[in-house]
C-alpha cells in the first residue's frame, strides 16, 4: 500500500514525475508485463522504498500515468466549452482519439494488451465529463434521470470503442476526419443528453 504524502510538496511531485518518466521510457523499450519495479527504480535512480512510498505497484503507476495523460488531453480539448453541445461532444471525441494515439505511441510494444486494461476507468471519466456539463439539479430530479444517465454511458462507451478501433486499425483517416465522419452517429446517441 502506498504511503500518502503531501501531494503538493514539490519533492513529492518531482519524485513521482521521475518515477513516471522512468516508467514511460521503459514502456518504449519493453512489454509492460516484463517491466519490474526494479527496472523502474534503477532507471529513476531511486530505491525501492521510495517507489513504494509513491505507488503500490507497476499497475498503479500505469494507471496514474494514463489518467494524467487522458485528463491533460481532455482539458486541452474542452477548454472554453461551457455547455454540452455538438461542438463539445466533438472535442471530447477528438480527445479520446488523441488519448489512444498517445497511448499507442507511449506503449509501442504493449498497446494491444494495455488498451483495454483501463478501459472502464477512461469510459467512466468520459461519462463524468459529459454529465459535468449538465445542470445536476435539473438532470437528477428529472423523470428522465435514468435515461440521461444511460445515454451518457452509451455515448462514453461508443466514443471510447470507436476511437480504440480507429487507432487499432491503423488510423486510416486523420482523427479530425474520422470524428467528423462519425459525428452524425454520435449525435444520434446524444439526443437525450442535449434535451
Amino acid at each position: 500500500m502506498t504511503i500518502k504524502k503531501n501531494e503538493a510538496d514539490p519533492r513529492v511531485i518531482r519524485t513521482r514525475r521521475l518515477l513516471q518518466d522512468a516508467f514511460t521510457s521503459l514502456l518504449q523499450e519493453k512489454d509492460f508485463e516484463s517491466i519490474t519495479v526494479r527496472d523502474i527504480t534503477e532507471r529513476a535512480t531511486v530505491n525501492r522504498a521510495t517507489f513504494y512510498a509513491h505507488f503500490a505497484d507497476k499497475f498503479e503507476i500505469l494507471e496514474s500515468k494514463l489518467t494524467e495523460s487522458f485528463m491533460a488531453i481532455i482539458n486541452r480539448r474542452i477548454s472554453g466549452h461551457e455547455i454540452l453541445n455538438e461542438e463539445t461532444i466533438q472535442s471530447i471525441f477528438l480527445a479520446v482519439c488523441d488519448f489512444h494515439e498517445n497511448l499507442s505511441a507511449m506503449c509501442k510494444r504493449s498497446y494491444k494488451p494495455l488498451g483495454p486494461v483501463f478501459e472502464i476507468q477512461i469510459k467512466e471519466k468520459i461519462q463524468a465529463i459529459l454529465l459535468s456539463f449538465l445542470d445536476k439539479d435539473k438532470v437528477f430530479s428529472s423523470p428522465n434521470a435514468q435515461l440521461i444517465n444511460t445515454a451518457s454511458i452509451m455515448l462514453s462507451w461508443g466514443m471510447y470503442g470507436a476511437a480504440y478501433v480507429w487507432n487499432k486499425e491503423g488510423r486510416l483517416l486523420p482523427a479530425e476526419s474520422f470524428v467528423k465522419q462519425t459525428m452524425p452517429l454520435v449525435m444520434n446517441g446524444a439526443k437525450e443528453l442535449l434535451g
Side-chain angles (χ1 to χ4, degrees):
M1 183 163 147
T2 58
I3 300 169
K4 293 297 173 196
K5 295 186 171 223
N6 179 358
E7 293 188 16
D9 183 332
R11 293 170 299 176
V12 171
I13 293 167
R14 199 171 27 256
T15 303
R16 285 181 68 85
R17 174 67 49 216
L18 185 65
L19 289 164
Q20 288 177 326
D21 289 347
F23 177 70
T24 301
S25 72
L26 286 164
L27 280 172
Q28 296 287 320
E29 302 165 15
K30 300 172 119 181
D31 290 328
F32 174 74
E33 295 78 23
S34 65
I35 295 173
T36 64
V37 169
R38 181 179 181 176
D39 294 332
I40 299 166
T41 58
E42 285 178 359
R43 179 71 52 99
T45 63
V46 299
N47 63 39
R48 290 174 69 86
T50 300
F51 177 90
Y52 289 116
H54 294 274
F55 299 101
D57 54 26
K58 69 181 186 176
F59 292 96
E60 187 176 328
I61 198 170
L62 174 65
E63 181 177 0
S64 94
K65 182 68 181 167
L66 293 181
T67 300
E68 180 182 292
S69 170
F70 180 69
M71 292 312 296
I73 292 166
I74 278 283
N75 289 333
R76 187 174 58 247
R77 284 282 188 179
I78 64 172
S79 175
H81 292 269
E82 295 181 15
I83 60 168
L84 188 64
N85 57 24
E86 185 170 350
E87 185 182 342
T88 306
I89 291 170
Q90 184 170 333
S91 293
I92 293 169
F93 195 6
L94 280 165
V96 178
C97 289
D98 293 347
F99 170 74
H100 279 291
E101 194 169 353
N102 288 353
L103 180 60
S104 63
M106 181 175 73
C107 309
K108 285 181 180 159
R109 299 176 51 106
S110 305
Y111 175 72
K112 287 185 181 171
L114 287 182
V117 169
F118 294 103
E119 179 177 335
I120 297 297
Q121 289 96 324
I122 298 300
K123 288 176 184 175
E124 287 173 354
K125 289 206 177 300
I126 297 166
Q127 180 191 12
I129 290 162
L130 289 167
L131 291 173
S132 74
F133 282 100
L134 303 176
D135 182 351
K136 299 287 185 275
D137 294 333
K138 288 182 184 175
V139 169
F140 295 109
S141 63
S142 157
N144 293 332
Q146 184 61 41
L147 190 57
I148 291 168
N149 191 54
T150 301
S152 68
I153 291 168
M154 291 174 67
L155 188 56
S156 64
W157 286 44
M159 285 191 286
Y160 181 91
Y164 176 78
V165 171
W166 164 80
N167 189 61
K168 188 176 139 204
E169 291 180 348
R171 300 185 298 271
L172 301 176
L173 293 171
E176 289 77 13
S177 299
F178 170 71
V179 169
K180 186 176 181 180
Q181 187 178 64
T182 55
M183 275 306 288
L185 297 170
V186 172
M187 291 312 295
N188 205 24
K191 285 179 185 169
E192 191 60 40
L193 290 177
L194 300 176

